[in-house]
Amino acid sequence: MLKKSALLLRLFVIVVAIAVIAACSNNNAGTSGTNEPPASNGQASGETPAADKTLFIGMSIPPVAFNPLANGDIASTYVQGFLFDPLLVMDGPLSFVPKLATSIESEDNQNYTIKLDEKATWSDGTPLTADDLIFTLNRAADPLVNSVYGAYVSILEGVEATGKLPEGQSEIPSVKKVDAHTVTLTTKQPVDPNLVKEQIGSKILILPKHVLDKVAKDQLAQDPFMLSPNVTSGAFTFVKYEKDQYVQLAANPDYYQGAPKLANVYIKILTVPNLVAQLQSGEIHMTSGGSPAKIPVQDYETIQNLPDVTSSIETTLNFQSVLINQAKLTNVTLRQAIAHGINRQFIVDELLAGTGEIINSPYTSLHAYSNPNVKSYDYDPEKSKALFKQAGWNFDDTLELIVPTGNQIREQVGNIIVENLRQVGVKAQISTFDFPTVMQKARAGEYDLLLMGFTFTMDPDYTSLYGSNEPYNFMKYESAENDRLLLEGKNEADPAKRKEIYNQLQELWQEDLPMITLYSDPDFIAVSKKVIHGGPKVFGTFADLQNWDIEA
């Protein structure tokens, strides 16, 4: 029976893949029309002078906006990496190199001193100082500001566990200015220094106080700056965004770590078939890597055989999941039924050609805190059907699965899940939307099931995903035990004790099933041999943007 089902599924996937590719091939993708970026080196526009080198990058998901405080989608985050610098960059597992901060140090794991680079300036020439750092942290914790940084600043003394300041307060009392380039902060209790370095040091992008200080806090997300950030700290400055076509960036000649070797960067939004075609034609020099530019496995060999492109397959922290709306699917037996009805092994074998890994928690095998002993919801259609009946499921009802467009593999995963559920007698239908719409529906809880990928931190604190009322907890998951353990894990400085806490959390998550973790898919990295230096990495992509270079 299982062999026959697998055969039917394999045929189903092949048909769907052909249909998707055919549909995409009829789309001329973001380079058509009157708002085209210029051609890359050696293309129709002629050779680019060495002094005016232009890099072309392809990705398949459009950015939503450029608000570091509130935009958590992976495409927006990628573009922001060129524009805004963090204090530190993690260039390897829990290995950090300086950016805006020359150091973050502590003698007791509770009181930290941050030294800023005195050469750092904003792109308008204004010095970047302690005032900007303090302004950013205060806005991140302000109850009136929509922010995804709450989980990061919640470790600071004076900030509530929700990541927000108490009502009526607007400044974090434990964050203090020592001088123009020195800030001290105090955590509620001693914590692992890597927690501070990764979450506050490498994840929070600093905002310009002199530009945004007068903007009403509750209007900050809607301010024109967040769509067109004209004052930035990174190696490149924002020029324009032609929606769903390309983002244009220009070198920041006064960048504090040295003027970039590239004059311009164009990030083109393309369909997946056009990503492959433009790598082949030389119209783009690289893909963005990661979720914004997932190359289907069936195209790996094509790219690997391109004589002018270097490629590699890299293990990552990325994972794909099915979010389950806890407000609608309240019965845990029903959630278990769905989990047992999904053939994750088939997805990995057929869509990822065995290059991915099945995961049973949000921590992949690359993560030091992964617990290999947690419960696994293996594919078992008979058990799934029995659990649906036990949960009292009405087999005349239909589950809605929302799938974001732009990631061809994920779209095919959605089709497989629907077919899997159909085989156990459950009706399910797919609704596809662009990523901004998916984010709106996720925040509003307007879904039953939702396919979504995430990339979080090497530090195991995933409060922002699982904590009650946290920005990425689209599942509306609430558990007092979960919140207690998350707080304990965040506040525990001893790595061995932290490991035990996060082992318990992974066991709890698999019992409660607010989401079904499906698999971790590797990054397929493709870079033209014209690129002298630069390109996507699992760690530290933006560590040295000023040194990215291409042949003239």
Side-chain angles (χ1 to χ4, degrees), residues 143 353 420:
N420 284 158

Side-chain angles (χ1 to χ4, degrees), residues 129 170 188 204 230 292 306 309 342 377 392 456 479 524:
T129 69
S170 59
K188 294 170 182 172
I204 294 180
N230 57 351
L306 294 177
V309 173
I342 298 174
Y377 289 92
F456 281 96
S479 161
F524 184 83

Side-chain angles (χ1 to χ4, degrees), residues 38-357:
S40 67
N41 294 7
Q43 299 304 308
S45 64
E47 292 294 324
T48 304
D52 192 32
K53 296 177 179 179
T54 297
L55 178 73
F56 292 86
I57 303 171
M59 67 180 183
S60 57
I61 298 175
V64 176
F66 309 106
N67 177 5
L69 282 174
N71 277 88
D73 68 284
I74 197 71
S76 298
T77 301
Y78 180 76
V79 177
Q80 289 164 16
F82 289 85
L83 301 172
F84 297 96
D85 276 1
L87 299 172
L88 306 171
V89 169
M90 187 165 67
D91 66 344
L94 301 180
S95 170
F96 302 92
V97 295
K99 279 312 258 190
L100 290 175
T102 57
S103 65
I104 299 179
E105 297 179 348
S106 176
E107 295 182 356
D108 61 2
N109 292 349
Q110 185 170 12
N111 295 285
Y112 290 82
T113 299
I114 300 173
K115 292 282 188 180
L116 297 177
D117 192 321
E118 296 183 11
K119 300 189 299 295
T121 64
W122 295 100
S123 55
D124 64 356
T126 303
L128 192 152
T129 69
D131 294 330
D132 298 301
L133 172 56
I134 294 171
F135 169 79
T136 303
L137 295 176
N138 283 335
R139 287 295 186 269
D142 197 293
L144 296 177
V145 176
N146 180 21
S147 168
V148 297
Y149 293 154
Y152 303 155
V153 298
S154 66
I155 62 174
L156 299 177
E157 184 65 45
V159 180
E160 295 181 340
T162 59
K164 294 299 182 182
L165 288 162
E167 187 176 354
Q169 294 186 24
S170 59
E171 296 182 355
I172 304 174
S174 60
V175 176
K176 298 176 181 178
K177 177 180 177 179
V178 177
D179 58 41
H181 296 97
T182 307
V183 173
T184 60
L185 53 84
T186 302
T187 58
K188 294 170 182 172
Q189 58 192 60
V191 297
D192 185 342
N194 285 326
L195 176 69
V196 175
K197 289 180 179 180
E198 184 174 11
Q199 297 198 350
I200 291 179
S202 73
K203 292 297 182 181
I204 294 180
L205 302 179
I206 310 306
L207 295 171
K209 179 181 180 181
H210 68 289
V211 175
L212 299 173
D213 191 27
K214 303 300 182 185
V215 178
K217 296 173 185 178
D218 60 353
Q219 295 299 309
L220 195 57
Q222 290 77 42
D223 191 80
F225 179 89
M226 300 306 183
L227 291 175
S228 181
N230 57 351
V231 178
T232 52
S233 62
F236 292 87
T237 60
F238 182 84
V239 178
K240 67 176 177 178
Y241 174 36
E242 289 290 347
K243 184 173 173 58
D244 297 337
Q245 296 186 64
Y246 65 89
V247 180
Q248 181 183 354
L249 310 174
N252 177 1
D254 301 316
Y255 186 54
Y256 64 101
Q257 291 194 335
K261 295 180 179 180
L262 299 171
N264 307 284
V265 173
Y266 284 85
I267 303 171
K268 301 168 71 173
I269 291 83
L270 306 166
T271 63
V272 172
N274 276 280
L275 282 176
V276 177
Q278 292 201 17
L279 275 171
Q280 193 165 10
S281 66
E283 293 173 78
I284 59 174
H285 296 104
M286 63 180 71
T287 62
S288 62
S291 295
K294 279 295 179 187
I295 301 294
V297 171
Q298 60 262 33
D299 290 321
Y300 283 11
E301 186 175 358
T302 298
I303 296 173
Q304 287 167 336
N305 290 332
L306 294 177
D308 298 323
V309 173
T310 299
S311 62
S312 62
I313 300 173
E314 306 289 343
T315 303
T316 72
L317 298 175
N318 305 337
F319 67 94
Q320 298 293 330
S321 62
V322 178
L323 308 188
I324 304 176
N325 190 334
Q326 306 293 285
K328 292 186 176 183
L329 305 177
T330 58
N331 190 331
V332 69
T333 302
L334 178 59
R335 301 196 291 271
Q336 292 172 345
I338 296 169
H340 278 299
I342 298 174
N343 193 342
R344 297 183 295 166
Q345 190 65 57
F346 181 86
I347 291 170
V348 169
D349 290 345
E350 295 299 315
L351 295 187
L352 303 178
T355 62
E357 63 168 322

Side-chain angles (χ1 to χ4, degrees), residues 528-550:
S528 166
K529 291 181 180 178
K530 290 185 177 181
V531 175
I532 299 169
H533 181 76
K537 300 177 183 177
V538 175
F539 297 103
T541 292
F542 303 112
D544 62 347
L545 283 171
Q546 72 278 8
N547 294 326
W548 283 27
D549 197 8
I550 59 173

